[in-house]
Amino acid sequence: MSNPIAARMARATLGNQLFIAATAVTVIVMAILAGTITWQNRQTAISNVHDANRAGLLGYERTLLLVYRIARERGLSLYPVLERYMGGTPEVSGQTAEGWPQLSTANGTIINANQALMRSVTGVVSEVYAQADGQWLRIASAYQDQPDYALGQALPAGSPIATALSQGQTADFPDLVGDKWHLATVLPLKNAQGQVYAGVVSRLDISAQIDPVLQDLAQVQLAGHGQLFILRPSANGQDWLRVAGGTERAGQLLSASSSAAAFSALHHILGSAPAGVEQLDIDGSEKFISWKTIAGWNWVVYGYGDVHDYLGASTRQMQLQLVLMLVGTLAIALLVRWLARSTLAPVQTVVARACTPWAAATWPTPLPPARLQAATKSTCCSRACAAPKAPCVTPLARCVTA
């Protein structure tokens, strides 16, 4: 059984055969090139997105670290001023009526419940905690008239202040008091044996420096497409609290404003490394996620945006390149056809002159001039007439009747 494509090729002129062959080869080569270039361009575009996202997060990291270093140095420099106002380092001098440790200084100043003393240093508000029965009790505070800072309250075991005092280490971290951000500095007080018996917590108001940064973050798009957010870990480490970004209020749990699948994916990657860039499927949409943990703050700045938005310009550029390659493929094929016809035109004339007597002699019935010319121009007739010893009747018959 004959192949229809092979039969059509056999009946085609040599110029058309070259055109078809050149078109097929060019399409295959261009398809391979197009696939390779498209893949390379996409990888380059993704790499550029990652670099742009990292650069965007780096700017906020530098700003926050600068605010942190300045506030930390100022907070540490103001503690000696507070200590001078207290009259020295507080020491345990007995117990209160409630059974709490009583702290006083060498000049007889009682620290317990001394709210005025906790507010005595301009720009800083302070608290004092003392250890009792394995817990850290608040015995003096600048906010002691507020329910959340009432005296006698014990710190949760996993809180940053309790952790720093238990470890006997100085610590600094951002703390939200009301609607204002402060940098809290924890200074443990140790006895002669090196045991921590109390601690002073000084809070420096940094809202004037932080608020513009947070407002800018909420308005700016990461790399022109992504939304930016700041999170801080919850007390139990199982969730995240919003600090800034988006439409949700500050302090809201991430799990409360995200689907279970989205929260699970975000919680995993944000806790997997201090920084990174990932592509995730969130609620059925492919997103680029970039994040960075800010040292000292224990905050995570992260941004995410739709993959199609990030790669839109690159996709349009690739589509334009594919169109140009398609046009180039067609132009090459047409050029090959024109060259083939121009080159083979003299040969075709010679073959036609040689085949005309053969066609007239071998075909029993006189042919119309147009049919005879078509027969002599066909490649099958040309092959038949090019072999003087071969019979020309059967090939010529196929050429004329085809």
Side-chain angles (χ1 to χ4, degrees):
M1 185 175 182
S2 61
N3 189 328
I5 298 179
R8 284 196 295 271
M9 288 291 291
R11 292 194 298 268
T13 63
L14 185 58
N16 287 341
Q17 288 182 6
L18 289 174
F19 169 71
I20 295 172
T23 301
V25 172
T26 305
V27 167
I28 293 173
V29 173
M30 286 298 185
I32 295 173
L33 288 176
T36 302
I37 293 174
T38 299
W39 181 83
Q40 290 178 339
N41 287 347
R42 183 174 178 84
Q43 297 305 310
T44 301
I46 291 175
S47 178
N48 291 339
V49 169
H50 290 180
D51 292 341
N53 286 352
R54 290 191 187 98
L57 297 181
L58 183 60
Y60 287 101
E61 180 191 30
R62 289 174 176 172
T63 302
L64 291 172
L65 286 178
L66 179 62
V67 173
Y68 171 78
R69 283 194 290 265
I70 294 175
R72 183 175 185 274
E73 292 176 2
R74 177 166 173 76
L76 291 174
S77 67
L78 290 176
Y79 175 70
V81 178
L82 175 63
E83 191 176 43
R84 187 167 62 249
Y85 285 172
M86 290 189 297
T89 302
E91 296 180 355
V92 178
S93 58
Q95 283 188 338
T96 64
E98 296 85 359
W100 308 335
Q102 179 172 295
L103 270 62
S104 61
T105 58
N107 66 357
T109 303
I110 303 298
I111 304 301
N112 294 61
N114 197 333
Q115 186 177 25
L117 185 59
M118 298 296 102
R119 295 178 174 178
S120 60
V121 180
T122 303
V124 173
V125 290
S126 302
E127 291 183 313
V128 177
Y129 292 87
Q131 191 177 43
D133 298 328
Q135 294 181 311
W136 296 99
L137 303 180
R138 184 183 297 110
I139 63 171
S141 174
Y143 307 112
Q144 63 192 42
D145 54 348
Q146 301 178 19
D148 292 340
Y149 296 89
L151 299 183
Q153 286 184 346
L155 290 173
S159 70
I161 298 176
T163 301
L165 292 176
S166 298
Q167 295 175 352
Q169 297 177 349
T170 301
D172 305 274
F173 56 89
D175 191 22
L176 188 63
V177 180
D179 59 350
K180 292 187 176 182
W181 283 103
H182 294 69
L183 184 68
T185 301
V186 183
L187 297 165
L189 302 179
K190 301 179 182 180
N191 57 24
Q193 291 74 36
Q195 297 175 335
V196 180
Y197 61 89
V200 178
V201 179
S202 298
R203 289 183 172 88
L204 179 67
D205 189 350
I206 57 173
S207 56
Q209 292 76 35
I210 287 297
D211 287 350
V213 178
L214 302 183
Q215 291 170 5
D216 179 77
L217 179 139
Q219 298 172 1
V220 171
Q221 289 185 317
L222 182 61
H225 299 286
Q227 292 181 289
L228 279 166
F229 303 87
I230 293 182
L231 301 175
R232 59 190 177 103
S234 61
N236 59 10
Q238 301 301 313
D239 208 333
W240 299 85
L241 297 170
R242 294 188 180 275
V243 176
T247 57
E248 293 81 6
R249 60 177 178 82
Q252 185 178 14
L253 290 173
L254 179 63
S255 60
S257 57
S258 307
S259 66
F263 171 75
S264 177
L266 286 173
H267 182 63
H268 174 71
I269 66 166
L270 294 179
S272 63
V277 180
E278 295 285 347
Q279 183 174 338
L280 294 178
D281 186 311
I282 297 180
D283 297 334
S285 177
E286 288 292 323
K287 306 285 185 183
F288 280 128
I289 309 292
S290 308
W291 75 96
K292 193 169 186 64
T293 302
I294 309 300
W297 293 88
N298 200 25
W299 286 358
V300 175
V301 181
Y302 85 98
Y304 76 88
D306 194 275
V307 170
H308 299 297
D309 293 338
Y310 275 110
L311 300 181
S314 174
T315 301
R316 288 189 293 271
Q317 183 179 7
M318 286 189 289
Q319 290 172 347
L320 178 60
Q321 290 177 348
L322 292 176
V323 170
L324 293 176
M325 293 179 72
L326 178 62
V327 173
T329 300
L330 182 60
I332 292 173
L334 292 175
L335 179 62
V336 170
R337 183 179 185 184
W338 178 79
L339 289 174
R341 287 196 168 190
S342 300
T343 303
L344 297 175
V347 178
Q348 188 182 53
T349 301
V350 172
V351 172
R353 289 176 180 176
C355 283
T356 300
W358 285 76
T362 57
W363 195 259
T365 304
L367 295 174
R371 297 291 298 277
L372 182 62
Q373 185 179 13
T376 58
K377 285 186 177 181
S378 67
T379 54
C380 103
C381 176
S382 299
R383 288 195 298 271
C385 298
K389 296 181 180 180
C392 192
V393 176
T394 302
L396 185 60
R398 278 205 308 268
C399 294
V400 174
T401 59

